[in-house]
Amino acid sequence: MNWWRLSRRNFLASSASLGTATVAMQAAVTMQAALAAQESAGQESAIPVVDTHEHLWDLSRLRLPWLNQARAAHFRRSYLPKDYDEATNGINIVKTVYMEVNCDPADHEAEADYVIKLCQSPNSRMRGAVIGGSVDRPGFPDYIKKYATNPHVKGVRMILNDPDRHKGLCLQPTFVKNVQYLGELGLSYDICIRPAELMDAVRLIEHCPRTRFIIDHCGNRDVQATDEKSRLTWEEGVKAAASHENVMCKISGILATAKPKTWQPADLAPAINFCLDTFGPDRVFFGGDWPVCTTVATYRQWFDALTSIIRDRSPEFRRKLMHDNAVRFYKLT
């Protein structure tokens, strides 16, 4: 046996040992990452969740004209409490707030009466409701007065980003006056508007200092948009809205603009983080936007994506976002 053979044997033995150690180290790192993920998931599951954007509709009770649109074919059936319970199984949702479903204006009272009964049910997690209303019409005050003293009715929404809702609608005198009246009654108004028109929403907010507002769906930012001008316009609108203390931001609905099947949490993160940082920990809350979210993902996939995006924020921040702020804002019991 010569020196070369001995050295080669030692080298091979050392390499084998090194390879074994490397594999062991990689396994340890993988195990550590898995344990960290499990620990994070456990922490999130321990946080009680309030879903501030629960859609339900019973087509035997309500007419939804938007279901006639080709893009709405996916939703042409009833979505009932049992369906929501199934979709959210395994998520620690302790309370929900109903969100109006853009029904036929003639059915607004039927919708309100339906969800109030759900809120009153001892077996329901629904503790509040944002009902629909024709805020642009002179007869709105007479309608909303019927529900203003009901403890389950928390606010009103009239969608502003439908194709038949013209730009500037929320600045019409009747609209502004009716939203001011909501403030007098102690009710909130949800703003669901095209991102390019957020400054119109800000002007409405300026006209209604006694009314509490919620910017729905992170201001409806399209997460696939790459145009710099549209992004800056949206950012300007979000910042302007956040400058008013009577405005909250709902972290919801942003998933609807993601690319089905290929989207990743990273696609949603920039818009979500911008809203969280701009509004701060005390003026944001979570919304599921189910079943609308199912055009892109399941409720669980959306919830897990948001969980991963906020994982590095403090436990206090996460709890405020997922639970505390909504309970405080809506006075949920």
Side-chain angles (χ1 to χ4, degrees):
M1 182 180 298
N2 57 32
W3 178 87
W4 179 85
R5 289 179 179 174
L6 181 60
S7 298
R8 182 173 181 273
R9 182 181 298 172
N10 291 341
F11 171 77
L12 292 174
S14 298
S15 297
S17 298
L18 182 60
T20 301
T22 300
V23 170
M25 184 179 295
Q26 289 174 341
V29 170
T30 301
M31 178 63 73
Q32 187 177 21
L35 291 173
Q38 290 175 3
E39 182 181 2
S40 178
Q43 290 173 350
E44 294 303 331
S45 65
I47 297 176
V49 177
V50 177
D51 182 350
T52 63
H53 210 93
E54 178 188 6
H55 291 303
L56 296 173
W57 57 82
D58 183 343
L59 295 183
S60 69
R61 300 170 182 264
L62 301 177
R63 293 164 291 180
L64 277 61
W66 59 271
L67 289 180
N68 296 324
Q69 300 174 19
R71 63 179 182 174
H74 176 75
F75 300 115
R76 289 175 190 156
R77 68 173 182 88
S78 294
Y79 286 84
L80 306 175
K82 64 180 180 64
D83 300 312
Y84 179 82
D85 291 344
E86 181 179 344
T88 59
N89 184 43
I91 301 174
N92 190 24
I93 297 174
V94 295
K95 295 179 175 68
T96 71
V97 177
Y98 170 83
M99 175 52 63
E100 66 89 25
V101 294
N102 202 15
C103 67
D104 187 311
D107 292 341
H108 278 154
E109 290 191 18
E111 177 189 37
D113 294 340
Y114 171 56
V115 297
I116 287 171
K117 289 180 180 177
L118 289 178
C119 291
Q120 293 170 337
S121 172
N123 298 321
S124 175
R125 291 178 289 181
M126 189 181 291
R127 291 293 178 265
V130 175
I131 61 176
S134 299
V135 185
D136 60 332
R137 298 184 184 180
F140 176 76
D142 291 333
Y143 158 74
I144 197 58
K145 273 190 295 189
K146 299 175 185 178
Y147 300 103
T149 59
N150 188 290
H152 300 297
V153 175
K154 307 298 183 179
V156 171
R157 183 177 78 161
M158 176 181 171
I159 288 179
L160 296 171
N161 59 344
D162 268 7
D164 64 337
R165 310 289 160 85
H166 62 83
K167 185 180 186 301
L169 176 61
C170 67
L171 296 177
Q172 296 299 311
T174 298
F175 198 107
V176 173
K177 185 177 179 179
N178 285 337
V179 174
Q180 290 171 338
Y181 186 55
L182 286 175
E184 296 173 18
L185 297 175
L187 299 175
S188 63
Y189 182 73
D190 272 65
I191 298 175
C192 190
I193 197 167
R194 289 174 281 264
E197 297 166 27
L198 274 172
M199 290 307 296
D200 283 352
V202 172
R203 284 190 281 273
L204 172 66
I205 292 165
E206 291 170 347
H207 287 308
C208 307
R210 295 180 57 190
T211 305
R212 296 176 304 147
F213 292 90
I214 304 95
I215 300 294
D216 283 355
H217 306 330
C218 299
N220 284 312
R221 170 69 176 157
D222 183 350
V223 300
Q224 293 190 59
T226 58
D227 178 68
E228 183 74 4
K229 183 178 179 180
S230 68
R231 181 183 64 80
L232 291 175
T233 298
W234 169 79
E235 287 185 354
E236 179 186 9
V238 171
K239 288 178 181 178
S243 70
H244 297 272
E245 291 297 322
N246 57 328
V247 183
M248 303 283 288
C249 183
K250 190 179 297 182
I251 308 301
S252 62
I254 196 76
L255 180 67
T257 63
K259 193 171 183 179
K261 298 182 180 179
T262 62
W263 71 277
Q264 297 293 327
D267 300 331
L268 316 180
I272 289 175
N273 283 323
F274 183 84
C275 289
L276 293 177
D277 294 336
T278 303
F279 275 87
D282 296 315
R283 293 198 290 140
V284 289
F285 44 59
F286 163 72
D289 197 28
W290 180 92
V292 178
C293 67
T294 61
T295 58
V296 176
T298 66
Y299 194 111
R300 166 60 78 173
Q301 289 169 334
W302 155 232
F303 182 83
D304 287 348
L306 178 58
T307 295
S308 70
I309 291 168
I310 65 172
R311 181 170 291 132
D312 293 334
R313 293 181 183 264
S314 71
E316 181 183 19
F317 193 114
R318 298 200 304 271
R319 185 180 174 98
K320 285 182 176 183
L321 169 66
M322 305 306 291
H323 179 270
D324 294 358
N325 291 344
V327 170
R328 171 179 52 83
F329 183 86
Y330 289 116
K331 300 178 181 178
L332 302 178
T333 58

